[in-house]
Amino acid sequence: MTKAGPSASAPAEDDIDQDRALRAFEMMVTIRAFEEGAAAGYRSSEIPGAVHVSIGQEAIAGALSVAVRPDDALLSTHRGHGHCIAKGVSLEAVWAELLGRTTGCSGGRGGSMHMFSAEHNVLGTNGIVGPNISLAVGHALGSRHIKHSGVTVVMFGEGAAATGAFHESLQLASLWKVPVVLLCENNSFTEFTPFEDWATFSSVRSLAERYRGIELLQCDGTDLLASIDAVDRAFEIARAGGPVLLEAYARRWHGHYEGDPQRYRADGGGAGDGRDPLEVGREQLVAKGIAAEVLDEIAARSSQAVDDALIAARLADEPDPATVLDHVYAA
Ligand SMILES: Cc1ncc(C[n+]2csc(CCOP(=O)(O)OP(=O)(O)O)c2C)c(N)n1
Ligand SMILES: [Mg+2]
């Protein structure tokens, strides 16, 4: 398993106000409840197609949710439900997308891996590993040209760092000095292979070192306050105009996809010797003086919101087959 690397700078945890930390915690528990529901929906065959969940990585999305602004753009991966929710897409619209309903954020045509929301500046989650990084750098260049105030954030896994798209994108981000946050979730696995068994480099951050002018950060992505601190810093750098890469270390608890038998994992899944980000966040908030009952109430409320959104999503129609060629621009 990949060990969490040391933070690039000591977390300024005391500077993180309680309200933001609580909102990030609420996002984490919401995403956990959503992902557990998505995994169950896959098992019961209610959700068609492949489903990749982000259980174990919620602190990063929680931190993202309190750093990102509505006018920032987001691109993500095949494991992007939580990122879209963190960017403000409603639980119902994400559920409906997974269920293939017209009220889904992509009209029910994209499913789990292809979520889009112009309203929320979600420029797409994408199952093709790597090119979303290039799209993000291009989008950030465009934003700078038109003097748009938002920055672009792209989520990707450590596996994407082995693609040509990653290296081309870093070269151009460095050359063009664009306002982009390159947020790598190193979740310890790339499909069915642990990071240490395939990566010929020590970290994604170390690969990025060769490109001038890209600020490099890393954090323990199972640690809520450290994640908030690092993600805040990354957005601060991008808002000041420069490219920044943050590598957040976590562990993927489930298989690569739901249904993956995970024969390559001695532990069969779960946190392994890592930590549960929800437990860590909870301990940190209690240490900040927040009553455990308040956190329980947030967890119960979040879980209810996820359930209510699923019930609402189920009531929506499936797309009319007569519209199958709508939005098709080339065939
Ligand atoms: C260009 C491309 N090559 C290969 C694949 C097959 N593939 C799907 S997910 C994946 C691994 C992605 O690993 P990582 O980037 O670490 O993301 P994670 O699944 O861990 O979130 C691969 C190789 C793909 N979808 N696209
Ligand atoms: Mg990975």
Side-chain angles (χ1 to χ4, degrees), residues 8 39 68 80 110 144 224 272 313:
V68 75
R144 203 191 60 199
L224 179 63

Side-chain angles (χ1 to χ4, degrees), residues 137-320:
V137 170
H139 185 266
L141 177 70
S143 298
R144 203 191 60 199
H145 274 312
I146 62 170
K147 301 196 185 335
H148 184 268
S149 59
V151 304
T152 307
V153 54
V154 57
M155 313 297 298
F156 58 98
E158 74 291 345
T163 68
F166 170 83
H167 291 275
E168 288 179 28
S169 302
L170 265 67
Q171 155 64 21
L172 290 173
S174 163
L175 183 69
W176 293 337
K177 299 181 178 54
V178 295
V180 67
V181 177
L182 305 158
L183 212 171
C184 176
E185 292 184 276
N186 187 335
N187 64 3
S188 315
F189 291 96
T190 301
E191 283 192 316
F192 319 113
T193 313
F195 182 70
E196 61 272 17
D197 290 351
W198 72 265
T200 53
F201 45 89
S202 58
S203 65
V204 175
R205 184 180 184 278
S206 70
L207 287 183
E209 270 167 12
R210 66 187 66 173
Y211 300 98
R212 265 198 311 272
I214 298 184
E215 293 219 35
L216 304 174
L217 305 171
Q218 62 189 57
C219 72
D220 178 350
T222 66
D223 179 315
L224 179 63
L225 296 186
S227 296
I228 295 175
D229 187 54
V231 175
D232 278 356
R233 177 76 190 119
F235 274 83
E236 192 180 56
I237 293 165
R239 292 196 200 291
V244 52
L245 181 142
L246 166 61
E247 182 174 13
Y249 293 92
R251 186 174 174 84
R252 195 191 76 204
W253 284 25
H254 279 209
H256 170 57
Y257 53 82
E258 291 310 298
D260 171 4
Q262 300 194 78
R263 293 199 186 90
Y264 51 93
R265 284 176 80 158
D267 63 2
D273 59 359
R275 306 188 296 172
D276 180 348
L278 267 57
E279 285 303 316
V280 176
R282 188 182 171 85
E283 283 164 21
Q284 291 176 322
L285 291 174
V286 168
K288 270 180 170 288
I290 293 164
E293 298 72 49
V294 171
L295 301 176
D296 291 341
E297 201 261 320
I298 288 174
R301 190 171 70 215
S302 304
S303 176
Q304 189 64 51
V306 168
D307 291 348
D308 291 348
L310 174 58
I311 290 165
R314 282 178 177 143
L315 297 175
D317 292 331
E318 292 181 352
D320 180 348

Side-chain angles (χ1 to χ4, degrees), residues 96 99-104 106-110 316-324:
L99 298 179
R101 300 301 209 277
T102 49
T103 49
S106 302
R109 291 155 193 271
D317 292 331
E318 292 181 352
D320 180 348
T323 66
V324 70

Side-chain angles (χ1 to χ4, degrees), residues 87-142:
K87 187 67 175 73
V89 182
S90 74
L91 291 167
E92 186 180 333
V94 181
W95 268 133
E97 193 52 46
L98 266 60
L99 298 179
R101 300 301 209 277
T102 49
T103 49
C105 54
S106 302
R109 291 155 193 271
S112 166
M113 282 192 271
H114 307 105
M115 288 182 284
F116 177 86
S117 173
E119 181 192 347
H120 299 95
N121 278 316
V122 174
L123 307 186
T125 64
N126 195 333
I128 310 296
V129 172
N132 61 340
I133 310 172
S134 310
L135 293 174
V137 170
H139 185 266
L141 177 70

